[in-house]
């Protein structure tokens, strides 16, 4: 597996590179975020490990840039910023996982391996359809009634989870796990806030809501929207 590591501390970078290489991965290391962006534009990787606080463009800005380009490469944010708000910020911008320094290498290696095992988008059905909503996973496009709906990366993933479960209730806990990779409830209104934005975008110009709230349980797609 090809892993790209953005880490400006030489000892930490060497430690991670050596450990992942010993596990059979091919690792490329960069210490500057600006240079990292150029390298990521030139080559594809299976997993990205990004430190947030690096020279040039910080790791979060690198993440935002590649997600804005529509790239879905799994990203693990590795940082000393340990507050829940920091983690939420990173995950909202499109990170797939988040590991706080100091860390145990075995955990980092396990998380990288887990991200690398995720099947590429092409192994899924390329297009999901529920009622008048169509989602193209390869092009990262959503349409309702033939009209394009512009979604942010986290909103796209949120809708994807709902569309993969047509006619079934998707709980708040399930969404926290699948969309934000939270194995716990961070006690924020992150789901509700994103759901409100998603609904607003999907429902604009339509009388019937695309998503229904099941009080006390979760959310589900209206398959006759």
């Amino acid at each position: 597996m090809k892993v790209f590591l953005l880490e400006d501390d030489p000892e930490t970078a060497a430690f991670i590179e050596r450990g992942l290489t010993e596990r059979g991965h091919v690792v490329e290391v960069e210490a500057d975020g600006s240079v990292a962006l150029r390298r990521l534009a030139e080559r594809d990787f299976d997993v990205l490990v990004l430190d947030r606080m690096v020279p040039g463009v910080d790791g979060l800005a690198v993440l935002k840039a590649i997600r804005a380009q529509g790239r879905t490469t799994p990203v693990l944010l590795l940082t000393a910023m340990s507050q829940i708000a920091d983690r939420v910020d990173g995950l909202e911008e499109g990170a797939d996982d988040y590991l706080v320094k100091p860390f145990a290498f075995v955990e980092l290696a396990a998380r990288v391996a887990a991200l690398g095992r995720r099947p590429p988008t092409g192994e899924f059905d390329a297009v999901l359809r529920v009622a008048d909503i169509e989602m193209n996973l390869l092009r990262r496009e959503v349409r309702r009634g033939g009209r394009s709906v512009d979604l942010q990366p986290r909103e796209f993933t949120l809708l994807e989870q709902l569309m993969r479960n047509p006619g079934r209730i998707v709980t708040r806990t399930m969404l926290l796990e699948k969309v934000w990779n939270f194995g716990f409830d961070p006690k924020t209104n992150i789901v509700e806030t994103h759901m409100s934005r998603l609904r607003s975008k999907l429902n604009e110009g339509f009388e019937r809501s695309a998503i229904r709230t099941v009080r006390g349980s979760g959310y589900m797609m209206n398959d006759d929207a």
Side-chain angles (χ1 to χ4, degrees), residues 148-219:
S148 178
V149 182
D150 185 20
L151 299 180
Q152 295 298 313
R154 197 63 63 177
E155 296 164 350
F156 186 96
T157 305
L158 182 61
L159 179 61
E160 180 184 350
Q161 292 303 315
L162 294 171
M163 293 187 67
R164 287 190 180 280
N165 294 278
R168 294 192 291 270
I169 296 173
V170 181
T171 68
R172 184 176 186 275
T173 299
M174 291 168 62
L175 292 173
L176 285 169
E177 292 177 351
K178 297 292 187 179
V179 180
W180 285 274
N181 287 297
F182 278 130
F184 64 99
D185 188 340
K187 304 301 181 184
T188 73
N189 63 348
I190 186 174
V191 174
E192 292 75 12
T193 298
H194 279 73
M195 188 65 70
S196 176
R197 294 173 183 166
L198 175 60
R199 274 179 164 148
S200 178
K201 293 180 179 182
L202 285 175
N203 295 340
E204 184 177 0
F206 295 88
E207 293 184 2
R208 184 170 175 79
S209 177
I211 301 170
R212 177 159 63 94
T213 298
V214 182
R215 192 173 300 278
S217 298
Y219 306 91

Side-chain angles (χ1 to χ4, degrees), residues 43-63:
R43 297 192 58 186
D44 292 325
F45 294 87
D46 298 304
V47 176
L48 311 181
V49 180
L50 307 178
D51 184 10
R52 283 191 63 168
M53 296 182 289
V54 295
V57 178
D58 65 65
L60 190 60
V62 172
L63 170 62

